């Protein structure tokens, strides 16, 4: 259920009801139909090859549409473009490690930045609380002076 919630989008003007991008039942049914066997005794080799190519093209298009809908294609394209922009001498020997770091990098960088920002805000809050305490103390002192006058 959590995975389906992650793969849902809100449709404007529909009461903001989530509309699933992927439906596991439909996709499973589709894949079973798509990968159905051909009766080898009834088809020529050329017909079998044409059928396989058509099925492959259909599968490729379906998977590509899923990757586009979920944003995976854009993310991978961005990481590959970063790898391609590197000078040949700076390119890693194992591009898969580069891809893993490229895909994880912004997230961990964002977490570090958020931690620094949080620490700074805690420091500022502590300083403001100290100032409030001093001001309350000053107010009590002034009220005592007024009472004594």
């Amino acid at each position: 259920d959590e995975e389906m919630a992650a793969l849902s989008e809100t449709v404007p003007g529909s009461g903001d009801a989530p509309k699933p991008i992927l439906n596991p039942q439909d996709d499973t049914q589709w894949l079973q139909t798509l990968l159905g066997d051909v009766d080898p005794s009834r088809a020529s080799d050329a017909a079998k090859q044409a059928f396989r190519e058509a099925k492959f093209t259909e599968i490729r298009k379906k998977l590509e549409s899923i990757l586009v809908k979920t944003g995976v294609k854009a993310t991978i394209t961005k990481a590959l473009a970063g790898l391609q922009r590197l000078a040949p001498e700076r390119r890693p020997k194992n591009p898969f490690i580069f891809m893993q770091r490229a895909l994880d990098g912004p997230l961990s960088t964002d977490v570090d930045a958020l931690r620094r920002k949080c620490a700074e805000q805690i420091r500022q809050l502590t300083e403001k609380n100290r100032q409030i305490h001093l001001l309350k103390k000053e107010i009590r002192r002034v009220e005592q002076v007024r009472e004594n006058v």
Side-chain angles (χ1 to χ4, degrees), residues 21-82:
I21 295 173
L22 302 175
N23 184 342
Q25 288 80 23
D26 289 348
D27 287 340
T28 304
Q29 212 171 30
W30 168 83
L31 197 55
Q32 287 172 349
T33 303
L34 194 62
L35 298 176
D37 292 332
V38 176
D39 183 5
S41 63
R42 305 181 94 200
S44 67
D45 287 340
K48 289 178 198 177
Q49 183 63 27
F51 179 77
R52 282 190 210 110
E53 288 175 6
K55 288 293 184 181
F56 177 80
T57 302
E58 189 177 343
I59 290 171
R60 186 182 52 76
K61 286 179 182 179
K62 180 69 174 181
L63 290 176
E64 187 172 337
S65 73
I66 291 170
L67 293 175
V68 168
K69 286 179 185 176
T70 58
V72 172
K73 184 177 179 181
T75 304
I76 292 174
T77 302
K78 186 176 178 182
L80 285 171

Side-chain angles (χ1 to χ4, degrees), residues 132-144:
I132 290 170
H133 177 71
L134 291 174
L135 289 172
K136 284 181 178 180
K137 192 174 178 181
E138 182 66 21
I139 289 171
R140 284 193 299 267
R141 188 188 64 74
V142 169
E143 287 175 346
Q144 285 178 352

